[in-house]
Amino acid sequence: MSTKLALGDLSDLVLPRDLELLRGEVAHLLNQGSSLTPLYQALATTAPMALVDLVLGPKAATGARAVEAALGVLPALVEQTTPAGTIRRLGDLAPETRPEILTAAVQAFPSAAWIVGLSDKFDAQTPGSIHLNGTHIHPAYPSFCVAHAKAGHITALVDQAAQGRPAAVGALSLVDSSAAAQAAGRLLAEHPQMRVVPWIAAAKGTSAPEILLPLMSKLRSREAAINVLADLGPFPLAQARLSLILTGLRAC
Amino acid sequence: MPLSLSPSRARMPYSGYVTLTLIRGTATIEIAARLAHGLPPEQSWDAVLELQKLLENVDGQDAPSLLESLWRTLASAPETLGPTRGDDLSLLAQASDPTGSWLTGCGLSDVEGLPKAHGFPRRLGIPKDPPPSLPCTPQDRIGVCVEEGS
């Protein structure tokens, strides 16, 4: 029976009567270091409610291996429950694997609003970075940046900017001018050809110089300065100041 | 009175937004405009830069001639007004000279004035007519932009 279950053969089972038997089998497989995947996959197909009870219920197996196996059947789990509830519960069952759980959640539900809220707990080192790194080519990435900015995930957004993603600068401009200037400086240090003024202007309107003027002291290359200057037409004060700075910047 | 358009409810509230002040002798024209705001910020900003370059050509000796020049200038180069050729342009302009001030605009649902001292916004309504000397017909660019009371 045990071998059959481990291979995903559920033909001898009567559910929910044999749920405790299944629970014992899961514990046995975990003790042995064997894979739970065939069993979970079979349950996902034939007995999804039993799978939910086994994986997420009050007596669910805890620990990294149990949760990693559960992530393999995530679509079946969320079909029976709510995605956010499933992810939270898995995080409670194996707190040490929360970053991996969030990564799987981001892949499955990149646009879900609850991902942002969950990031503080599941992406504790740099909240927001897992979601933003996992979705930077998603069409709604700029919206995700704004959501994380409003949630206070400043460090993650500065890191995003440093990777050449100006939407992060735009999002920061909405909430924290100082951080936005820092992020724009980091972006232009690594990617001097990229445009940050359009994003800052789109967020701040006529108040854009609040960010543009501090940014100037962070420009390290002539290429970046020339690039920024080309976009400064509607901000004459900033334009004049950068022109002056440019005369002092050596070609490099 | 500094001019501004209300920020949009979009993710980036000032996408495609620009203000400009032109001084011509004793006359001044202030312009606040928004266009191409539904595009990514880089593309909106390109449209803004084009619009700004175009508006720098506005010229006149007094407020009425500045307003006339504004509409002539806009009508002269619709291809510079973003991908929709100005259909999504919202613009509010105030021209002033020693004899007074005049407002004009397009793509606006309302115009309000805020008193210098604290107070409630005062509804100014929509500028109904372009400057009388404007050589326009209903088919001209400004005609399709005006959205009174929408």
Side-chain angles (χ1 to χ4, degrees):
Chain A
M1 176 75 154
S2 181
T3 309
K4 285 178 75 176
L5 285 177
L7 294 174
D9 182 349
L10 308 177
S11 56
D12 293 340
L13 280 186
V14 178
L15 291 169
R17 188 197 68 189
D18 293 335
L19 205 52
E20 287 308 311
L21 184 71
L22 263 181
R23 220 182 295 284
E25 179 63 13
V26 167
H28 176 65
L29 291 171
L30 284 170
N31 281 339
Q32 275 195 321
S34 302
S35 172
L36 291 169
T37 302
L39 174 60
Y40 279 8
Q41 294 284 3
L43 285 167
T45 311
T46 59
M49 284 311 293
L51 177 71
V52 168
D53 196 318
L54 202 63
V55 171
L56 303 175
K59 297 181 190 171
T62 59
R65 287 193 46 242
V67 166
E68 279 160 17
L71 290 175
V73 288
L74 193 57
L77 292 173
V78 300
E79 215 165 271
Q80 308 298 325
T81 60
T82 63
T86 300
I87 297 301
R88 282 197 188 92
R89 177 66 177 142
L90 291 174
D92 290 341
L93 293 171
E96 70 277 19
T97 60
R98 281 175 179 159
E100 288 79 13
I101 296 168
L102 187 62
T103 301
V106 165
Q107 283 170 0
F109 315 103
S111 306
W114 49 265
I115 294 270
V116 176
L118 227 53
S119 293
D120 287 312
K121 197 171 175 183
F122 281 61
D123 185 10
Q125 202 171 347
T126 316
S129 61
I130 290 176
H131 186 207
L132 294 171
N133 280 327
T135 57
H136 69 92
I137 55 170
H138 194 284
Y141 173 75
S143 296
F144 303 156
C145 286
V146 171
H148 282 286
K150 289 180 176 169
H153 300 157
I154 306 298
T155 306
L157 286 161
V158 173
D159 289 348
Q160 291 296 303
Q163 293 177 63
R165 297 166 190 163
V169 176
L172 283 170
S173 300
L174 293 168
V175 299
D176 185 335
S177 293
S178 169
Q182 184 198 348
R186 292 271 308 274
L187 184 147
L188 290 167
E190 299 292 329
H191 308 273
Q193 78 287 358
M194 295 208 73
R195 298 172 75 188
V196 295
V197 176
W199 289 90
I200 295 169
K204 298 290 283 183
T206 53
S207 303
E210 278 175 24
I211 297 168
L212 296 172
L213 294 175
L215 168 63
M216 288 173 195
S217 65
K218 302 176 194 307
L219 296 175
R220 294 288 173 267
S221 78
R222 189 173 175 82
E223 184 188 0
I226 290 171
N227 174 33
V228 170
L229 185 65
D231 274 329
L232 285 183
F235 303 111
L237 174 65
Q239 189 182 39
R241 189 167 303 181
L242 187 54
S243 296
L244 195 65
I245 291 171
L246 251 174
T247 61
L249 271 177
R250 284 183 298 124
C252 55
Chain B
M1 180 168 68
L3 294 187
S4 64
L5 301 181
S6 52
S8 83
R9 287 182 294 274
R11 184 181 68 231
M12 288 288 156
Y14 294 101
S15 197
Y17 184 76
V18 65
T19 60
L20 188 66
T21 301
L22 302 169
I23 300 169
R24 303 287 186 258
T26 57
T28 304
I29 183 165
E30 283 184 73
I31 302 164
R34 177 187 293 121
L35 84 168
H37 55 276
L39 298 177
E42 289 92 345
Q43 292 175 40
S44 295
W45 197 242
D46 286 340
V48 161
L49 296 178
E50 285 285 320
L51 177 66
Q52 189 210 8
K53 209 185 318 177
L54 180 69
L55 292 176
E56 306 244 325
N57 297 321
V58 171
D59 200 9
Q61 307 80 40
D62 52 24
S65 63
L66 278 175
L67 290 179
E68 182 183 339
S69 173
L70 168 68
W71 291 120
R72 274 185 196 279
T73 304
L74 287 171
S76 70
E79 70 279 2
T80 64
L81 301 178
T84 66
R85 298 168 65 88
D87 281 355
D88 63 355
L89 174 68
S90 293
L91 182 144
L92 180 62
Q94 183 187 30
S96 305
D97 64 21
T99 66
S101 290
W102 288 265
L103 277 175
T104 187
C106 68
L108 306 169
S109 57
D110 207 348
V111 179
E112 291 181 343
L114 191 64
K116 273 184 183 167
H118 292 297
F120 292 105
R122 182 164 54 94
R123 187 163 183 266
L124 301 176
I126 296 289
K128 286 198 180 305
D129 299 307
S133 57
L134 182 70
C136 74
T137 70
Q139 285 76 44
D140 282 328
R141 300 299 310 163
I142 60 160
V144 297
C145 294
V146 176
E147 298 171 357
E148 291 188 33
S150 64

